[in-house]
Amino acid sequence: MLLLLLILTLVTMTTSTTTAETRKFVLAPLPYAYDALEPEISEETLRFHHGKHHAAYVAKLNALIAGTPYETMSLEEIVAKSDGAIFNNAAQVWNHNFYFATLSPNPKTKPERALLDAIVREFGSVENLKKAMNEAAVNLFGSGWVWLVENQDGRLSIMSGKNADTPLRYDMSPLLTIDVWEHAYYIDYRNARADAVKAIWNKIDWQKVEDNYSKGKK
Ligand code: MN
């Protein structure tokens, strides 16, 4: 009887541990090596940005949602439904996943086809779009993100978001983003945010941006 009780207890313990683990978010691995985006982004910056800051958002999110209804939701659902600290950490996890995924050591250097047409229609040229996004990044007071988004009407626009703000909250499809939190550039560029945002374009993979654009079309 005692043995049966012991076995039952062990089984219960194992089950609950497994269930708790499956509900936890994990840090998405970088799709390239930490030194792969040099010289624009140093290995040290990426190790802090991904390994410390991004990892901390994931850990805090897991701690905050434990035992709440958010525990069973997808990351996108949490971003859509939460506010306060849970929103801040969930949105930062989502934003960073998106940001790191659109960078590449071997990026496609120019947009083509439908995305190029849409950019030319809205901004006149790719150079103009870059200039407008760089200006938005420099003028964003404090921490945040600058996004190229596709709106519900199919038109492109630039969104400046403070702190963890994200286009997901506004029914916009994000196409690409620049992280303008100081942690994204301060090790490499110190206070020169303008230089940091100018450099990031060398590592933005327009193939990923085109893929994001097609996704919004479906
Ligand atoms: Mn960041």
Side-chain angles (χ1 to χ4, degrees):
M1 183 62 196
L2 195 65
L3 185 65
L4 184 67
L5 202 67
L6 185 67
I7 289 167
L8 276 175
T9 312
L10 279 173
V11 167
T12 315
M13 277 171 66
T14 316
T15 314
S16 61
T17 308
T18 311
T19 312
E21 271 169 9
T22 53
R23 284 174 183 174
K24 281 192 195 292
F25 292 102
V26 292
L27 177 65
L30 271 189
Y32 33 77
Y34 278 117
D35 63 355
L37 302 183
E38 292 189 338
E40 286 84 359
I41 302 176
S42 69
E43 175 176 357
E44 189 184 2
T45 290
L46 265 193
R47 283 196 183 277
F48 273 88
H49 200 178
H50 178 266
K52 304 281 184 197
H53 291 279
H54 193 193
Y57 295 127
V58 174
K60 278 182 206 159
L61 177 63
N62 283 330
L64 286 165
I65 62 173
T68 76
Y70 294 112
E71 205 175 26
T72 54
M73 293 183 194
S74 71
L75 187 56
E76 286 78 6
E77 269 185 287
I78 299 175
V79 170
K81 291 176 181 168
S82 63
D83 51 29
I86 293 182
F87 169 77
N88 286 338
N89 285 282
Q92 282 296 79
V93 172
W94 196 92
N95 291 350
H96 280 94
N97 287 345
F98 182 90
Y99 167 75
F100 288 125
T102 53
L103 302 177
S104 165
N106 303 299
K108 175 173 177 175
T109 55
K110 286 178 189 134
E112 292 181 299
R113 292 180 283 274
L115 177 59
L116 177 62
D117 293 345
I119 290 172
V120 170
R121 210 177 308 131
E122 209 62 52
F123 301 96
S125 69
V126 177
E127 279 318 302
N128 283 355
L129 162 69
K130 289 181 182 177
K131 233 171 88 184
M133 283 193 73
N134 291 356
E135 269 172 34
V138 169
N139 291 329
L140 181 63
F141 189 79
S143 297
W145 302 79
V146 171
W147 303 82
L148 175 65
V149 297
E150 183 184 0
N151 297 284
Q152 287 299 302
D153 61 5
R155 293 183 64 172
L156 304 188
S157 62
I158 293 170
M159 174 194 152
S160 286
K162 280 185 175 298
N163 300 317
D165 205 6
T166 180
L168 295 194
R169 291 285 271 206
Y170 311 105
D171 263 347
M172 298 164 168
S173 304
L175 304 184
L176 75 89
T177 189
I178 301 175
D179 184 344
V180 288
W181 282 61
E182 285 187 347
H183 68 223
Y185 63 85
Y186 217 84
I187 292 170
D188 298 332
Y189 297 87
R190 299 299 173 193
N191 59 325
R193 184 189 282 185
D195 293 341
V197 299
K198 222 168 126 188
I200 196 83
W201 291 104
N202 294 339
K203 292 293 186 271
I204 285 175
D205 188 350
W206 284 100
Q207 185 57 58
K208 304 276 172 50
V209 188
E210 284 177 15
D211 294 347
N212 293 335
Y213 185 61
S214 326
K215 236 184 275 169
K217 295 258 164 285
K218 278 166 201 163

